[in-house]
Amino acid sequence: MTDSSNRHPPQEKLNKVSVEQVKTLYESVASLVMINLVVSSALVYTFWELVAHSLLIGWMAAMLLMLCARVMVYLAFKRRFDENKLKQYQAFLILGSASAGIIWGIGGLIMYVPGQLEYQLFIILSLLAMSAGSAFSLSIYLPAYFAFVPLMLAPIILRLLFIGDTIHIALASVTIIFLVAQTIFNLKINKSLTHAMSLRYENLELIEQLQEQKAEAERANRAKSSFLAAASHDLRQPLYALTLFTSALEERVSSPEDLRITRQITRSADSLQSLFDALLDISKLDAGTIDTQKSDFLLAGIIDKMAFEFDTQAAQHKLTIDWPIQSFAVHSNPILLEQILRNYVANALRYTPKGGIQVSCTPREDCIEICVSDTGIGIAIEDQRAIFDEFYQLGNPERDRQKGLGLGLSIVKRAAEQLGHRIDLKSEPGRGSEFSVSVSRALENISIANENSAESHTPSISTQPLILVIDDEESIREGLQELLGQWGCDVIAGGNTAEVILQLDAIQRQPHGIISDYRLQDGQTGLEAIDSIHKHCGDTIPALIVTGDTEQGLLITLKASGHQVLHKPVPPAKLRAFLRSLPNDRTG
């Protein structure tokens, strides 16, 4: 990023101020011309009977010629302004002001009527009025002011001083004092206007810097997302294969010692998978690919599910969790809201060494406030904002994964923003914390209804279903074949679409489902492979896309495809759920 201190050196900033001064003064030329025309015409009319007509006509002709020239210059400036011609514009302004000053100065001498004090006062006051009127326009550019006002007043001052009597010396003195006072006044105005313009350009420069810094931050964020996507894909591949083989191995081994080792491997793989899942959740929330559609539902369903899971964990930590008895109907997304509350409770369990945890639901005027309070270590004020940042953890400098990953509250923040829910934190070191989320009340009245679990409606795996597996990683193909075979499936596996179709034609069977990696050989994608098989079979076959990518654009594309999508490493339970979802009426 360019050093901001060198972006606009002082000379360049000074030039910008000069350009602004010139523009402002040129924009006032029309009013100046009009004032000059009106006042000069009025003076000619007033002195027509007192001064020789030839002098007045000649003076007025010079005035009109000067005004026309200034109008032409103004029109050329307005038609096309070129900053590279700044010095020329300044020269025209000074020359125009000087011409006007000389013509008005001559006019003061022409219209000075000897022996007529009232007319002498009239012309002096007219010239002073023209001088005062110029303060509001010419003060923005002092060279134009000094080219106009002194040249206009000097002749009449000299004439008054030349006469030499008391009254005329007094008039000359008053005119000089007025000129000095107005010049000081104009100098102050010019200083203020120049300072204001400089501040304006400094502010514009600050805005430019902020925009560049914002763009830089966005580029860094995109680079981070791209890195996470690439790293996630490359690391998930072997982890996915490891998960498949350990699952198949766990179903085969019978020795207690072998089973213990296998389960230890599984737990290690699960710990790594939890990190990938958290990163994926953040990527999905950033990409906007998570379904945030809201509906009315009872909190009891979420609370009961969490109580069943967390009470056992709390007992292991010798803690108790108090759950709300009364159920409230809310308007939210049940999946994301449950994710928020799960992270709250998991965080409370992690940082509460003794005492207990309370989950409460409090009705407010327009929402239900769900709070998770604990008697844990508490959070210092300086840390309370930072804990919602990615990978920020309290009391875990050694990055012990048993203490979490520092992503839970970051997910909470993103999920709450997606849902438009307000989250809050109250905490005091040594006295515990209270995390809350405010959820809108249900739009309609809903009553408690007994619903059968999803598993009771899940169809069983059909007899010997034929599953097509497309993946360019041989270890993953072998792992899937081993696992799916143990579940009673026939499997055709290949690294690309051509291999799979060749084997499919050999057995003359219609497949029941497709499991395809997203990135395949020769730049082919899983979406293209599925389309090819659909065309070959002349039928739409349920498909599952497996991917290790977390890139936002890809997540959006996959969601729009309409196929089921799972992210590596895929838990065997989710593969089994996909198999159960397959229709049973296909020809085997």
Side-chain angles (χ1 to χ4, degrees):
M1 184 174 174
T2 305
D3 185 359
S4 60
S5 63
N6 297 326
R7 185 183 293 106
H8 297 299
Q11 185 60 42
E12 185 177 343
K13 191 180 296 183
L14 184 63
N15 288 341
K16 287 193 173 185
V17 172
S18 298
V19 168
E20 190 67 23
Q21 289 174 329
V22 168
K23 283 184 176 180
T24 303
L25 193 52
Y26 266 101
E27 288 169 0
S28 65
V29 164
S31 59
L32 288 175
V33 168
M34 189 58 95
I35 291 171
N36 277 265
L37 185 61
V38 171
V39 175
S40 60
S41 300
L43 288 175
V44 169
Y45 176 79
T46 301
F47 288 92
W48 185 256
E49 300 297 335
L50 300 171
V51 178
H53 293 178
S54 59
L55 292 177
L56 291 176
I57 292 173
W59 179 79
M60 192 65 189
M63 177 69 70
L64 291 174
L65 186 63
M66 181 269 298
L67 294 178
C68 287
R70 298 191 74 175
V71 169
M72 292 176 63
V73 172
Y74 165 71
L75 292 176
F77 166 86
K78 188 176 181 181
R79 184 167 53 252
R80 184 179 179 182
F81 175 75
D82 185 357
E83 289 190 9
N84 296 322
K85 297 180 179 179
L86 176 62
K87 292 191 178 298
Q88 295 180 29
Y89 294 136
Q90 291 173 330
F92 282 132
L93 283 174
I94 295 171
L95 182 61
S97 297
S99 301
I102 292 171
I103 292 173
W104 277 106
I106 293 172
L109 295 178
I110 291 174
M111 296 176 208
Y112 182 87
V113 182
Q116 300 287 337
L117 186 60
E118 65 275 19
Y119 284 100
Q120 294 172 10
L121 289 173
F122 182 74
I123 188 61
I124 293 172
L125 290 175
S126 297
L127 294 177
L128 292 178
M130 288 295 297
S131 174
S134 69
F136 298 99
S137 55
L138 299 183
S139 60
I140 197 163
Y141 185 56
L142 288 178
Y145 167 79
F146 286 114
F148 175 66
V149 175
L151 290 177
M152 177 176 62
L153 295 180
I156 195 71
I157 291 173
L158 293 175
R159 179 69 185 268
L160 293 171
L161 291 174
F162 179 76
I163 294 174
D165 58 19
T166 304
I167 185 66
H168 288 91
I169 290 176
L171 287 174
S173 299
V174 169
T175 305
I176 292 171
I177 292 171
F178 178 86
L179 174 60
V180 172
Q182 180 177 316
T183 300
I184 294 173
F185 177 69
N186 278 12
L187 288 172
K188 291 183 177 180
I189 290 181
N190 178 266
K191 184 178 180 180
S192 298
L193 290 173
T194 303
H195 182 63
M197 289 180 182
S198 297
L199 287 178
R200 176 190 171 195
Y201 282 109
E202 286 178 10
N203 291 335
L204 291 174
E205 185 176 333
L206 287 174
I207 292 172
E208 182 182 339
Q209 290 179 34
L210 287 174
Q211 289 174 338
E212 288 188 9
Q213 290 172 3
K214 179 184 176 184
E216 181 100 357
E218 289 174 348
R219 284 193 296 271
N221 188 54
R222 286 194 296 270
K224 179 204 72 173
S225 298
S226 298
F227 170 76
L228 286 176
S232 175
H233 177 268
D234 293 341
L235 293 175
R236 281 174 184 269
Q237 291 288 89
L239 180 59
Y240 183 30
L242 176 63
T243 303
L244 295 174
F245 281 117
T246 52
S247 297
L249 183 61
E250 193 171 348
E251 294 190 14
R252 284 193 171 195
V253 299
S254 56
S255 166
E257 181 63 22
D258 292 343
L259 188 60
R260 184 187 67 80
I261 295 174
T262 303
R263 287 177 177 170
Q264 188 64 39
I265 295 172
T266 301
R267 278 194 293 271
S268 298
D270 288 343
S271 296
L272 188 54
Q273 182 175 342
S274 65
L275 172 60
F276 283 130
D277 289 342
L279 289 172
L280 180 62
D281 285 337
I282 290 176
S283 296
K284 283 182 175 179
L285 288 166
D286 286 342
T289 58
I290 288 183
D291 184 10
T292 58
Q293 184 174 357
K294 298 180 183 179
S295 62
D296 293 339
F297 60 92
L298 291 166
L299 283 172
I302 294 177
I303 298 298
D304 290 345
K305 190 190 302 183
M306 291 173 57
F308 179 79
E309 177 182 335
F310 284 108
D311 278 346
T312 303
Q313 296 182 33
Q316 293 173 351
H317 291 81
K318 297 181 181 180
L319 300 171
T320 58
I321 303 179
D322 292 330
W323 300 94
I325 299 175
Q326 185 179 2
S327 179
F328 294 94
V330 297
H331 184 72
S332 181
N333 181 285
I335 296 175
L336 288 181
L337 180 59
E338 180 179 343
Q339 192 171 31
I340 291 173
L341 297 178
R342 280 181 176 277
N343 278 299
Y344 276 171
V345 175
N347 219 50
L349 281 172
R350 189 173 297 119
Y351 292 103
T352 305
K354 62 180 180 178
I357 298 166
Q358 182 178 24
V359 182
S360 62
C361 299
T362 306
R364 303 297 182 192
E365 184 176 349
D366 59 346
C367 65
I368 303 297
E369 186 180 52
I370 310 171
C371 297
V372 178
S373 308
D374 62 60
T375 58
I377 61 175
I379 305 167
I381 294 176
E382 59 269 20
D383 292 320
Q384 290 184 14
R385 288 180 64 87
I387 61 170
F388 290 96
D389 295 337
E390 298 168 11
F391 299 106
Y392 189 90
Q393 285 185 290
L394 298 175
N396 189 17
E398 69 278 12
R399 304 301 300 177
D400 181 0
R401 70 171 184 271
Q402 300 301 323
K403 296 181 181 180
L405 303 166
L407 291 172
L409 292 179
S410 177
I411 293 172
V412 165
K413 180 182 177 182
R414 285 168 163 81
E417 289 174 349
Q418 291 278 343
L419 295 172
H421 295 340
R422 183 174 62 84
I423 57 175
D424 199 9
L425 165 62
K426 298 175 184 176
S427 185
E428 186 176 340
R431 305 193 64 177
S433 305
E434 178 185 279
F435 289 86
S436 66
V437 56
S438 298
V439 187
S440 303
R441 292 174 178 268
L443 302 179
E444 299 179 1
N445 292 326
I446 57 175
S447 58
I448 299 177
N450 292 325
E451 297 183 0
N452 295 327
S453 67
E455 290 186 0
S456 64
H457 291 290
T458 304
S460 60
I461 301 176
S462 59
T463 305
Q464 291 295 105
L466 176 61
I467 307 298
L468 306 184
V469 174
I470 312 172
D471 199 301
D472 56 355
E473 289 281 339
E474 184 178 359
S475 59
I476 292 178
R477 294 199 303 271
E478 291 177 355
L480 277 173
Q481 282 183 296
E482 182 70 26
L483 187 60
L484 295 176
Q486 289 184 20
W487 290 347
C489 299
D490 291 332
V491 181
I492 289 179
N496 54 53
T497 313
E499 290 181 18
V500 171
I501 290 177
L502 188 64
Q503 296 178 63
L504 189 62
D505 289 341
I507 63 172
Q508 293 294 308
R509 284 186 62 185
Q510 190 78 339
H512 291 74
I514 306 170
I515 300 177
S516 176
D517 188 17
Y518 178 74
R519 297 188 185 278
L520 301 172
Q521 296 173 349
D522 301 324
Q524 188 183 39
T525 68
L527 294 176
E528 295 168 346
I530 292 168
D531 287 343
S532 297
I533 293 173
H534 285 175
K535 291 176 182 177
H536 181 78
C537 296
D539 194 5
T540 300
I541 301 162
L544 169 66
I545 295 179
V546 180
T547 180
D549 288 281
T550 59
E551 194 267 321
Q552 294 184 3
L554 176 60
L555 296 178
I556 295 172
T557 300
L558 292 179
K559 181 181 179 182
S561 71
H563 300 304
Q564 294 188 49
V565 179
L566 291 177
H567 294 269
K568 298 177 182 179
V570 179
K574 291 187 178 181
L575 287 176
R576 188 181 288 271
F578 168 71
L579 297 178
R580 285 176 176 157
S581 70
L582 299 178
N584 296 319
D585 57 351
R586 290 189 174 274
T587 303

